[in-house]
Amino acid sequence: MAVVLGHNQYGKAENRVVRVFRDSDPHEIVDYNVSVALWGGQEAPHLTGDNAPVLPTDTQKNTVYAFAKEDDVVAQPESFGIRLARHFVDETEPITHARVRIEMYPWTRLGNPHAFTRDGRFVRTATVTYDGSTTWVVSGVEDLWILKTTDSEFADFLEDRFTTLAPTHDRLMATSLRAQWWHTGEDVDWGKSHDRVVQTVLETYGNHHSLAHQQTLFDCGAAVLEEQPEIAEFRVTAPNKHHFVYDLARFGIENAGEVFHADDRPYGLQELTVRRDDAPAPGLAFDPGQGW
Amino acid sequence: MAVVLGHNQYGKAENRVVRVFRDSDPHEIVDYNVSVALWGGQEAPHLTGDNAPVLPTDTQKNTVYAFAKEDDVVAQPESFGIRLARHFVDETEPITHARVRIEMYPWTRLGNPHAFTRDGRFVRTATVTYDGSTTWVVSGVEDLWILKTTDSEFADFLEDRFTTLAPTHDRLMATSLRAQWWHTGEDVDWGKSHDRVVQTVLETYGNHHSLAHQQTLFDCGAAVLEEQPEIAEFRVTAPNKHHFVYDLARFGIENAGEVFHADDRPYGLQELTVRRDDAPAPGLAFDPGQGW
Amino acid sequence: MAVVLGHNQYGKAENRVVRVFRDSDPHEIVDYNVSVALWGGQEAPHLTGDNAPVLPTDTQKNTVYAFAKEDDVVAQPESFGIRLARHFVDETEPITHARVRIEMYPWTRLGNPHAFTRDGRFVRTATVTYDGSTTWVVSGVEDLWILKTTDSEFADFLEDRFTTLAPTHDRLMATSLRAQWWHTGEDVDWGKSHDRVVQTVLETYGNHHSLAHQQTLFDCGAAVLEEQPEIAEFRVTAPNKHHFVYDLARFGIENAGEVFHADDRPYGLQELTVRRDDAPAPGLAFDPGQGW
Amino acid sequence: MAVVLGHNQYGKAENRVVRVFRDSDPHEIVDYNVSVALWGGQEAPHLTGDNAPVLPTDTQKNTVYAFAKEDDVVAQPESFGIRLARHFVDETEPITHARVRIEMYPWTRLGNPHAFTRDGRFVRTATVTYDGSTTWVVSGVEDLWILKTTDSEFADFLEDRFTTLAPTHDRLMATSLRAQWWHTGEDVDWGKSHDRVVQTVLETYGNHHSLAHQQTLFDCGAAVLEEQPEIAEFRVTAPNKHHFVYDLARFGIENAGEVFHADDRPYGLQELTVRRDDAPAPGLAFDPGQGW
């Protein structure tokens, strides 16, 4: 047998770029964390240490900051990612694939044209993958916390010898959502589209009468796909942030779902995909992370 | 010589209490992280392992959750802290001192009476200390990010052989504020007062033409004290979150304060106290942390 | 078009199990963080909120702690994962797949039979996936830091208009490794095998004269595969933890690779797979993470 | 009333310095995180934005890296801190006080003269404070985990209406220690002294039959002071990392202190000082943190 090189990728991760638009009045800013991964034609450095095909990650860093100067491109994480991914593949022999992942930290303007405060409601994300012909654009959101004080049930579930949970028809439900959605086209107002998805998810989650967390999450994805035809697939990871009713009866105090302990670990975790039945396969759209 | 016990304190830290107010329509919630520290009369457990004077931290936990049932008390972190601190000292022989530190995570209502999303702009804090007669109430804020794209200078500073920094008359300035302020009385609308301090800090920081970060921070504190007579002392810790102009000239690209690298470490750190000249000494108001 | 459910999985994440073996003298302990993910037959809860096919995550938690009582099973993360994964699929209609991921925190015995201190050199991991017939066992390590003060070069790389990096023939190289390796069989002394892989990686990385970080990492994987025939594939993610020589010449001080600034972000990131050319496809062995 | 400036300090925090000793064979390294805080004569920048008395934090950073070239000085965090603190006060009009806090990350040599792996058993710390005449040197340790499977009791404690904890005569006890100790002199082999303190703490904690966590911690401090006359005061903060026996009786499984859930929050927290009765007051030795 011989030992061979399998899939490999490399790049500069977590370039923290802040871009100020001074021509606009008031000033605008975008705050990004940009990670680049490239692959294609990289056998030599792995097998012999020959760096001829290696575009140094330091050069990738310079490129990220250089392209951040291009106003239209940098204004939205999706367009910035598209610009960078295509550059690295189209301009760099022998690179065949690029994936650019961007985290965006929203800021809110204060009462003057050049001061801002960080809006910590969520982190916006964009992942763009390009193989020399196809460009996959995935938008997303992370750390989006939602809590419902009622309208959530969990009952009539499977039981086995290890079942001790009591069914409930009224519980507090909370999560910190991580979602990603794949756009089949690029003719999109990225900012507007993102705002609308977040709004749809919040409204659906908040208004849904939930028999199962899975049902609530599926409905969030379904609502997004029904409203925005340019979105073909929606993936969500949602921890069930458990809030346990604290036993106050021991002290002669009634606790009718008023006082809760917010527990850390363990936590339920639901992960699911919602897609159009006529959508093409997502191909390389979604970053497989460590699993490749 | 003999080895003796010096200052000591103990308690239950980070009780994660969520309280739902179901009687109000729409529902209200508060989300707290409550840490209790008690001292007084604890020689025996340290010197001989005799636990007779020890109120177990488990009991302290039960107490925190039990008192969370009291509507008026739990509605504000300051009033909740006062209630808990006084209980532990007044009801527990031999405890002489209690300090209760509370972190509050704000939530924003969604479009229905029982759904919320986390508002991550900052964490609100309250620290209440009680010695059996005096109660010290300190309110605060953490993780309050502010960024200014201009109106900030730093020049004419001290130089020595290790000075390489160039003076500047226009820089991007950013920070993540941690502030605490001491109230001399308890006849305060805690929520209103906190909102007003945060608003004052944001407006002052944003509108200040800064010759030094120290000056901007002092003015923030001064503005708070001038507006709110019930506040006697204001303390702030403010990292200078450095944003470095990225050198694009190397690539023939002009960068007139538009593209920045947001660096992580090291960072400048300013810490200062602003107080009324006629204010009493703060005594035990401010938690000395690990230094005692 | 219709909206349909795609891949979905759910489970209880981060069950923090500590198991004490009291029958052995001296005592032994294992310290685990166990995450369970199940899939198969879960359309109903997503589409209608019917929980009939749902084994609650609370039940999964009870199961993890219950099986932790089984001495032989719990002693190694791989055997514990195999036991749990097979239970959930074989005993739970309609579950078809289970993936159990375990983090293990090593402890070192102190000078008596029942006291331990945490050994923070790395976190050991195991991921077991089962589909009702095939069981995939992947072992791994995280947070394994390695630093070399010399014997590392990086030169003769690709250049473009954004290249500013100077080639070097002697640099400090450091990383924090995350690696996973797939065993084709289960007739393995899991503890011995893990120790040997870590030892091989440390020795190879430390002794390798590096022309490229990629080359060093490939050689680490190759050495593991050459030594341990039961391992078919090795995957590694290795940030290049940059250490920059600090410019002291400005102060008339020579710095011949002695004083470095350890930077945080951005960082180079190399990810690669090393496999036997005669190895079968890994199938579901490696957790694809969020990308599925 | 007037608003006045109270205590203030400023500096460059978290300078990540790695120093390689290439002259020694094998190579040696130290890995530090150095934070500088200076005070004295800083009214002008706060009140008027006049930076004449301000030694920029950028200059402080350069100084830290420059002094890291001095072999004997940088070899131990205490001596490095002493060198830096004295420099900033003695060489900088109008600075009157300096506090230098250093975190040191230990590394272990691998099987060759220039490769290392990080030893994550604990973080070593040093805090040096200087006022122009007195130098206070405090050494410390953080993240030192200890776990005992037996020999720990907690019974006969105070009870009130909120007490539900059952007394126990055999429990699992675990903590993650943070300790600091003050040396009255500088004629100390800092490395040897630190190793000995850690060893004393581990042995005392491990071998102590504990009736109360407070007792165990006091004995750790007492043992340190008894062994090392140069140490006048020992302060420790020790969370009680709760491990709860998991209820398996519900499933007909006996659990005689074998299977535990390691909980995250809340946790008991013990903090105490052990000192010589003939020791002078520690003055500015211990950093009061945010409380000043």
Side-chain angles (χ1 to χ4, degrees), chain A residues 9 24 74 89 127 131 144 174 176 187 194 214 250 263 277:
Chain A
Q9 60 189 48
S24 66
V74 77
V89 173
T127 303
D131 71 353
L144 180 64
S176 169
D187 181 16
H194 193 275
Q214 285 88 328
R250 298 173 293 175
D263 205 29
D277 61 355

Side-chain angles (χ1 to χ4, degrees), chain C residues 255-287:
Chain C
N255 182 11
E258 297 166 294
V259 178
F260 293 86
H261 168 62
D263 205 30
D264 295 300
R265 298 188 294 182
Y267 49 89
L269 186 62
Q270 276 84 35
E271 308 182 85
L272 60 106
T273 303
V274 186
R275 59 194 327 271
R276 301 180 182 286
D277 61 356
D278 59 356
L284 299 178
F286 294 89
D287 184 348

Side-chain angles (χ1 to χ4, degrees), chain C residues 43-54:
Chain C
E43 290 69 24
H46 291 87
L47 303 181
T48 68
D50 169 7
N51 294 308
V54 179

Side-chain angles (χ1 to χ4, degrees), chain A residues 4 6 235 237 273 275 288 290-291, chain C residues 4 6 235 237 273 275 288 290-291:
Chain A
V4 296
R235 296 180 178 190
T237 296
T273 304
R275 58 194 327 271
Q290 301 307 335
Chain C
V4 296
R235 296 180 179 190
T237 296
T273 303
R275 59 194 327 271
Q290 301 305 337

Side-chain angles (χ1 to χ4, degrees), chain B residues 4 6 235 237 273 275 288 290-291, chain D residues 4 6 235 237 273 275 288 290-291:
Chain B
V4 295
R235 296 181 179 189
T237 297
T273 303
R275 59 194 325 271
Q290 301 307 333
Chain D
V4 294
R235 297 181 178 188
T237 296
T273 304
R275 57 195 327 271
Q290 302 305 335

